[in-house]
Amino acid sequence: MEPGLVERLIDPATMARLTELADLDPALVAADFGTPAAATALRETEVLISSWGCPPLDAAVLAAAPRLRAVVHAAGSVKHHVTEACWRRGLRISSAAAANALPVAEYTVAAVLFANKRVLQLSSAYRRQRDRFDWQSAPEAPGNYRRTIGVVGASRIGRRVLELLRPYDLDLLLHDPYVDPEQAAALGARAVGLDELCAAADVVSVHAPELPETRHLIDRARLAAMRDGATLVNTARGSLVDQDALTAELVTGRLNAVLDVTVPEHLPADSPLYELPNVLLTPHVAGSLGGELHRMAAAAADELARYAAGLPFAHPVLPTDLPRTA
């Protein structure tokens, strides 16, 4: 774990609750399981609370932790540190991915509503003109009424986005190969193929996991099929979009984009995406920040309480889930 993460992640009330639930040393943060302090703690540890930057829990680490029975991850994906050895050992694994999904969904909904309202374009034009502005003359009519929103992936975040968009007067489309029409309807959306979604939506929002088969899921052909003036929102992973093809479309001004993730994660200084007026670029901040981190810590405390009471985790991670999740 990175230095200072505990203080930023866990608010005092949650820390007090954690220390009541278990024999917990808040000062012990293991960035390396090979240190003497970590090795001593591992010998007695029954539940490991992990977060971003946790070292891999490989066979050697597990051999040094004979009493370990569960890992409660106070963050999202467990793929970076939960290894095959953990599954062979039969460890119970929990993740706060559901808690982290909430701010990402909120960011996405804000992006969708602002995109259809043409906030970037109108703000830029008003800044240039600095006088009475006839917004009715905008070349792309602003507004959210009866717009079509395409959600790619019924992940935790994708489902939350659909839930938050449901009260608006929008036509919601969903593409997910594991969701049938009846399940999509229960989520308030209409199940469609990805090609149809890209061609029909005013806003395409990407929420699929990063897997080998999802690389460039939004490829050159699907970008070309998007209607003029449409917006692509990506809060998932940069690899899901053919960024070269997207950049080419954005440079022409035909499409708009809200990008919280890119390839590479930190774009080179000469990337045109920094300067394009039709692009809102943020540095991977849609997930939990500041006080939002406390929600994940509270979720971890909830799971620890369930473990202590002999109850199953509310948000378990199973090895069968991994091929379909981030």
Side-chain angles (χ1 to χ4, degrees):
M1 297 185 191
E2 62 183 81
L5 182 60
V6 170
E7 290 76 13
R8 290 193 289 111
L9 178 63
I10 306 177
D11 63 277
T14 300
M15 180 60 76
R17 186 176 176 214
L18 286 169
T19 53
E20 287 176 3
L21 288 167
D23 181 10
L24 180 71
D25 180 2
L28 178 58
V29 180
D32 178 358
F33 288 128
T35 65
T40 299
L42 279 176
R43 284 196 293 270
E44 302 300 322
T45 297
E46 183 177 351
V47 180
L48 181 70
I49 299 177
S50 62
S51 189
W52 292 299
C54 180
L57 301 172
D58 56 23
V61 172
L62 296 188
R67 297 187 61 206
L68 187 63
R69 297 292 179 268
V71 177
V72 175
H73 190 48
S77 176
V78 303
K79 289 185 177 180
H80 303 292
H81 66 295
V82 173
T83 68
E84 184 60 35
C86 296
W87 303 118
R88 289 197 301 268
R89 172 85 160 256
L91 296 184
R92 294 170 58 186
I93 311 293
S94 171
S95 166
N100 193 48
L102 301 182
V104 182
E106 291 165 354
Y107 174 109
T108 301
V109 169
V112 167
L113 299 177
F114 264 35
N116 284 330
K117 200 69 174 179
R118 304 301 181 197
V119 167
L120 275 179
Q121 295 87 336
L122 294 176
S123 174
S124 178
Y126 191 31
R127 185 182 301 112
R128 291 193 307 270
Q129 188 164 322
R130 304 192 182 201
D131 198 353
R132 184 184 298 275
F133 185 75
D134 181 12
W135 55 267
Q136 294 282 18
S137 66
E140 298 173 2
N144 280 285
Y145 184 58
R146 292 184 176 173
R147 295 289 188 177
T148 300
I149 312 302
V151 172
V152 181
S155 59
R156 291 183 185 91
I157 298 168
R159 290 168 184 258
R160 181 65 169 166
V161 167
L162 290 171
E163 179 184 349
L164 293 175
L165 288 176
R166 207 173 300 159
Y168 298 94
D169 292 312
L170 298 166
D171 181 19
L172 303 178
L173 306 180
L174 172 65
H175 171 75
D176 189 305
Y178 299 101
V179 175
D180 62 32
E182 291 75 19
Q183 292 169 326
L187 295 171
R190 180 163 56 90
V192 297
L194 185 53
D195 292 340
E196 180 182 347
L197 182 149
C198 289
D202 295 289
V203 179
V204 174
S205 192
V206 182
H207 303 289
E210 184 178 42
L211 303 170
E213 56 269 31
T214 60
R215 183 178 183 274
H216 289 187
L217 185 67
I218 308 298
D219 58 13
R220 186 176 300 273
R222 286 171 176 146
L223 290 166
M226 288 176 64
R227 58 177 58 178
D228 290 355
T231 300
L232 178 76
V233 179
N234 190 5
T235 57
R237 289 293 183 270
S239 68
L240 274 65
V241 178
D242 183 339
Q243 191 166 292
D244 290 340
L246 175 62
T247 301
E249 291 279 9
L250 294 171
V251 166
T252 69
R254 194 183 74 81
L255 297 179
N256 309 299
V258 178
L259 303 175
D260 189 52
V261 288
T262 55
V263 177
E265 175 92 358
H266 306 291
L267 290 173
D270 61 352
S271 171
L273 296 179
Y274 285 117
E275 301 295 338
L276 290 174
N278 52 330
V279 176
L280 176 60
L281 189 64
T282 55
H284 204 163
V285 296
S288 298
L289 293 176
E292 293 168 337
L293 296 170
H294 299 164
R295 182 191 284 121
M296 292 193 294
D302 289 343
E303 292 291 63
L304 186 58
R306 294 180 69 86
Y307 179 88
L311 298 172
F313 285 139
H315 301 285
V317 179
L318 305 175
T320 51
D321 297 334
L322 297 182
R324 294 170 48 184
T325 58

